[in-house]
Amino acid sequence: MTVKKREASAPNEWIDALVAHDEQLLRVRLLWRRGSSRYRPMVSPALDLSEFEGAPVRTWEGFELSDTHFEWPPGEDEDPQELREQARLIVEGLWRRCVHWARGLDSRCDFQLRGYGEDGAVLFEVSRRVEGGRGPSEEMGEEEHSPPQDRFGDDFERINAIKDELLLKLTEERNHSFSLAQKASAAAPELISSTRAILERAIEYEQEQVRGLLDQHTGRTEARARAFEAKQQTQRRGMTLEFLRYAVDATLTTVVPTARAMFENWANRSMQVFPEFRCAQQALAYVGMTLTQPQICKLFNDNRNAIEGFMVLVEEAAKMEDEREALLHLRGMSKVFVTKRFLEIGTPEQQLAGRYIVGRLAMYRLGDYGEPAQE
């Protein structure tokens, strides 16, 4: 009975640690272990933990719950009592999850609350043991506490802003392409008609000059005029051919590519402008927003655990500000974008986003080549 009572109340030492390090505290993390193994991140209870035994910490981090690893809300000139009350509410929610976790495993577990400061420095590590076994539901309650939602509001707003910016960019690019096609279509007939008129005027002028010389001279002058006419005719042919060559070159270099692009736009009405990404987070957000349920089910053979894990990784990586950390956060899941199955089910825009993600990751790995591996 003493153990049950101990489990029902939140650890005061956790509350004291949060209050004592409030000014330097940036992140809070809840870890667990069973027996004498090392502490590992908290994951969804729906996952099969036997598949994660012996897996590296990075694999566990890929499925870590967001409400057990969160940023500590900064408190500026906050009343000590209000600060302690806030810390107590957060610790109670985390403690209920610890008790629920231990009872779900029906095993004794150790839980550690760890606080991080600047540059990932560990400020405190406070552990507490929970005995296994099923207890009365009254001690646990049906509700699990999660950190206040307002600390994640900025991340969702940032994702929405990126989505709106991407859609606006796509619309502008599409309108610009159609505008260029219409201008090219309007300029092509005028250019062809102008070329023909210039050629006709040049020929008429040369003919009038030759006829005038023939009418003014006779005899030797006439012979010279004929020779001059022949010479002029040869020059005229050369000039005509040269002019035609320039006209053909101008047509091939301007009108034909424009007409071809216009024809392709008209022939394929369903063609969309491919998106452009400024960073890997935008490509991850685009993939997460455009993948449909049939596509994701076919990609992972209807494996719900794999689907949920993949979508969680994509969502968390898209919310990160640093592109390198976002790519490393994928934990090897970037291989999905180069699989044959993804190339079969993905749209051209999704394949472009996947290749962009893989390319950016390759650039960072190339920059790290030759350096010692970091854990």
Side-chain angles (χ1 to χ4, degrees):
M1 297 300 295
T2 304
V3 175
K4 293 295 181 181
K5 184 177 180 180
R6 179 179 176 84
E7 292 178 1
S9 60
N12 290 326
E13 55 267 27
W14 288 9
I15 300 176
D16 297 337
L18 293 176
V19 174
H21 299 85
D22 175 65
E23 296 182 357
Q24 299 85 14
L25 188 60
L26 298 179
R27 288 186 297 111
V28 179
R29 194 177 194 182
L30 180 63
L31 305 172
W32 79 283
R33 73 177 181 183
R34 182 165 49 186
S36 59
S37 61
R38 60 184 177 181
Y39 283 100
R40 293 165 290 192
M42 300 284 291
V43 298
S44 174
L47 297 177
D48 187 3
L49 298 182
S50 61
E51 298 180 358
F52 289 85
E53 292 296 335
V57 177
R58 293 182 179 273
T59 302
W60 288 82
E61 291 177 347
F63 298 91
E64 187 174 7
L65 297 173
S66 59
D67 58 351
T68 61
H69 187 188
F70 54 89
E71 294 183 0
W72 179 253
E76 298 180 357
D77 299 331
E78 189 173 5
D79 185 73
Q81 294 182 355
E82 295 180 357
L83 175 61
R84 188 169 187 85
E85 178 64 18
Q86 180 183 9
R88 185 185 64 80
L89 293 175
I90 295 177
V91 170
E92 286 181 353
L94 295 176
W95 186 245
R96 284 196 294 269
R97 177 175 289 278
C98 294
V99 176
H100 180 72
W101 180 275
R103 291 179 179 175
L105 296 179
D106 195 14
S107 175
R108 183 173 60 185
C109 300
D110 294 330
F111 296 92
Q112 182 182 89
L113 187 68
R114 184 179 298 177
Y116 297 91
E118 294 183 357
D119 301 328
V122 178
L123 300 179
F124 62 85
E125 294 178 341
V126 185
S127 302
R128 185 75 174 269
R129 174 167 296 178
V130 178
E131 298 295 335
R134 303 287 181 177
S137 59
E138 297 82 23
E139 297 180 4
M140 283 296 299
E142 300 295 334
E143 182 181 3
E144 290 187 1
H145 174 74
S146 60
Q149 294 295 329
D150 55 355
R151 75 166 54 91
F152 302 106
D154 295 340
D155 295 333
F156 289 111
E157 292 179 0
R158 189 179 299 110
I159 291 296
N160 291 330
I162 294 174
K163 178 190 70 177
D164 295 339
E165 182 181 353
L166 180 60
L167 293 177
L168 180 60
K169 181 67 174 179
L170 292 176
T171 304
E172 292 178 353
E173 292 293 338
R174 182 194 62 187
N175 296 336
H176 182 65
S177 299
F178 281 109
S179 176
L180 291 179
Q182 292 175 355
K183 291 181 181 179
S185 177
E190 182 180 356
L191 178 60
I192 296 175
S193 60
S194 301
T195 303
R196 181 177 179 180
I198 293 173
L199 181 60
E200 290 178 351
R201 287 198 297 267
I203 294 175
E204 290 177 358
Y205 176 79
E206 291 296 334
Q207 290 176 350
E208 290 177 359
Q209 293 296 324
V210 172
R211 282 195 298 267
L213 290 175
L214 291 176
D215 294 339
Q216 292 177 5
H217 298 82
T218 59
R220 186 175 180 180
T221 303
E222 183 178 359
R224 291 180 179 177
R226 291 178 179 176
F228 181 80
E229 180 184 7
K231 181 178 179 181
Q232 290 296 318
Q233 185 176 6
T234 303
Q235 292 180 353
R236 184 169 64 250
R237 291 177 180 175
M239 293 174 62
T240 302
L241 293 176
E242 187 70 16
F243 184 83
L244 290 175
R245 185 176 69 84
Y246 284 130
V248 170
D249 290 342
T251 302
L252 293 177
T253 55
T254 59
V255 177
V256 173
T258 305
R260 181 181 301 172
M262 179 182 63
F263 175 78
E264 292 177 355
N265 287 331
W266 287 350
N268 186 8
R269 293 294 183 180
S270 63
M271 184 185 70
Q272 300 292 331
V273 178
F274 286 101
E276 294 183 1
F277 306 106
R278 297 181 180 177
C279 60
Q281 294 94 316
Q282 292 182 349
L284 288 168
Y286 182 83
V287 171
M289 290 185 295
T290 58
L291 276 178
T292 62
Q293 189 67 23
Q295 284 179 317
I296 196 69
C297 290
K298 187 176 180 181
L299 183 61
F300 292 99
N301 291 328
D302 294 326
N303 188 333
R304 297 188 61 85
N305 292 337
I307 292 174
E308 292 178 359
F310 176 75
M311 295 306 294
V312 168
L313 281 180
V314 170
E315 179 181 356
E316 292 178 350
K319 295 189 293 186
M320 293 185 176
E321 296 183 358
D322 186 73
E323 184 180 37
R324 180 187 181 94
E325 292 183 0
L327 292 172
L328 294 178
H329 188 71
L330 293 177
R331 313 301 180 192
M333 279 293 184
S334 58
K335 297 179 181 178
V336 173
F337 300 120
V338 296
T339 60
K340 182 178 180 181
R341 184 169 297 173
F342 180 79
L343 298 178
E344 291 176 353
I345 67 173
T347 64
E349 292 81 2
Q350 292 171 348
Q351 295 179 19
L352 178 62
R355 290 178 180 144
Y356 182 84
I357 295 170
V358 175
R360 295 296 298 172
L361 181 59
M363 291 180 62
Y364 282 113
R365 288 178 176 174
L366 183 61
D368 296 337
Y369 180 77
E371 298 180 359
Q374 299 181 356
E375 296 184 355

